[in-house]
Amino acid sequence: MKDVKDTLLERRSIRRYEREAVTPEQMQFIFDAIRNTPTSYNGQQYSVIDISSQELKLKLEAITGQKQIKTCSRFLLFCADYHKITLIGREKGIEIPPFAATMDGAVVGIVDASLAMMSAIVAVDAQGLGCCPIGFIRTADPEAVCSLMNLPEGVFPVCGLAIGVPRELPDMHPKQPESALIFTDSYATDETLLRDLRAYDADVTRYNATRSGTTSDNDWAAHILSYYSEGMSYHTREAMRRQGFDAL
């Protein structure tokens, strides 16, 4: 087991995996870490679907175009989930407030699912395994994912996590400097931020041009904003509404 420092500071996304399976003991540690995730109100407004079926992984790969889903040993789908509390509340005759249909309700479910995924990432990396978060599971065709996974009303996919035995050790991506991420007592001035962001943009450009494997001339700013432009064509809000998160 890796120590905390190496686990957190040497983490990188792994997209190529060996054929070797993740062991039941390794998965149990990941599940235990997920279960111990802190959540809003201790309401645990999330659920996780563990997918080992190659047939299902192939279907998810076809939906998303993310090949690491096909080649990973296990794929975890993290969902915001208000179905469970609704189910037990109705059985006990408790009035169910439409919290999931509020902006805060959607945020609570998404944050809980995201925290659970981070717990899983730490547990994966600590064991020397590799993983890759896949947000496109939420946006590529959310209704197809909901149908394939039989998600009831009140449940929506937030993110997926491909897990496997690493077949690669890619260079670590440069991250924004501490001064552009962590501020003291108040938000940073634009002047300070722009100074740091210009330098970071140049760092990313150099990294993309010189990294091992496939290189590119991508910078940081234009590349990320291109993802935002692509995201304008997604229909996540409509899909979430159909799953009961209809205040967005």
Side-chain angles (χ1 to χ4, degrees):
M1 193 77 69
K2 294 163 63 176
D3 64 27
V4 173
K5 181 178 179 180
D6 289 344
T7 298
L8 293 176
L9 301 187
E10 295 182 5
R11 188 215 63 82
R12 63 201 77 194
S13 292
I14 304 297
R15 294 176 172 82
R16 298 178 67 228
Y17 307 100
E18 302 288 359
R19 293 183 181 274
E20 180 182 350
V22 175
T23 68
E25 293 77 16
Q26 289 171 321
M27 288 305 304
Q28 190 58 58
F29 179 66
I30 296 166
F31 295 155
D32 290 344
I34 289 170
R35 289 183 59 240
N36 198 40
T37 297
T39 61
S40 294
Y41 326 116
N42 193 34
Q44 299 153 82
Q45 289 87 192
Y46 75 94
S47 56
V48 184
I49 300 178
D50 172 29
I51 301 167
S52 58
S53 162
Q54 190 62 22
E55 179 183 359
L56 283 176
K57 287 191 289 180
L58 286 170
K59 289 179 179 179
L60 288 171
E61 186 218 7
I63 291 171
T64 63
Q66 301 294 302
K67 64 181 180 181
Q68 55 266 46
I69 298 178
K70 174 179 68 176
T71 59
C72 69
S73 176
R74 305 287 271 268
F75 185 74
L76 301 184
L77 180 66
F78 292 81
C79 303
D81 189 339
Y82 286 98
H83 178 70
K84 292 182 290 184
I85 190 66
T86 300
L87 205 61
I88 186 66
R90 284 175 177 166
E91 181 180 75
K92 298 186 72 172
I94 304 170
E95 181 180 355
I96 310 297
F99 182 59
T102 68
M103 178 63 77
D104 194 49
V107 169
V108 163
I110 291 167
V111 168
D112 281 5
S114 301
L115 288 171
M117 186 178 70
M118 195 63 224
S119 294
I121 289 171
V122 173
V124 168
D125 278 49
Q127 298 181 94
L129 300 171
C131 62
C132 182
I134 300 177
F136 206 45
I137 197 78
R138 177 187 65 254
T139 53
D141 190 344
E143 291 177 318
V145 173
C146 290
S147 176
L148 183 63
M149 296 290 104
N150 298 313
L151 301 186
E153 183 176 348
V155 183
F156 191 80
V158 174
C159 199
L161 187 68
I163 301 172
V165 177
R167 195 178 180 182
E168 63 176 0
L169 188 65
D171 297 337
M172 292 185 66
H173 288 275
K175 301 296 185 180
Q176 291 179 21
E178 182 178 322
S179 55
L181 286 169
I182 302 171
F183 311 137
T184 301
D185 293 334
S186 67
Y187 199 84
T189 65
D190 286 356
E191 180 182 6
T192 299
L193 273 177
L194 277 173
R195 179 199 65 203
D196 292 337
L197 293 174
R198 289 188 201 103
Y200 176 66
D201 193 69
D203 285 344
V204 172
T205 302
R206 283 191 294 270
Y207 166 82
N208 286 328
T210 60
R211 65 184 180 183
S212 61
T214 304
T215 59
S216 74
D217 59 358
N218 289 334
D219 65 354
W220 177 70
H223 190 58
I224 297 304
L225 288 170
S226 72
Y227 283 127
Y228 295 172
S229 295
E230 180 182 342
M232 298 299 292
S233 64
Y234 300 154
H235 302 287
T236 308
R237 180 172 63 179
E238 290 79 5
M240 290 187 74
R241 282 175 169 168
R242 282 187 275 273
Q243 287 298 114
F245 298 80
D246 58 1
L248 299 178

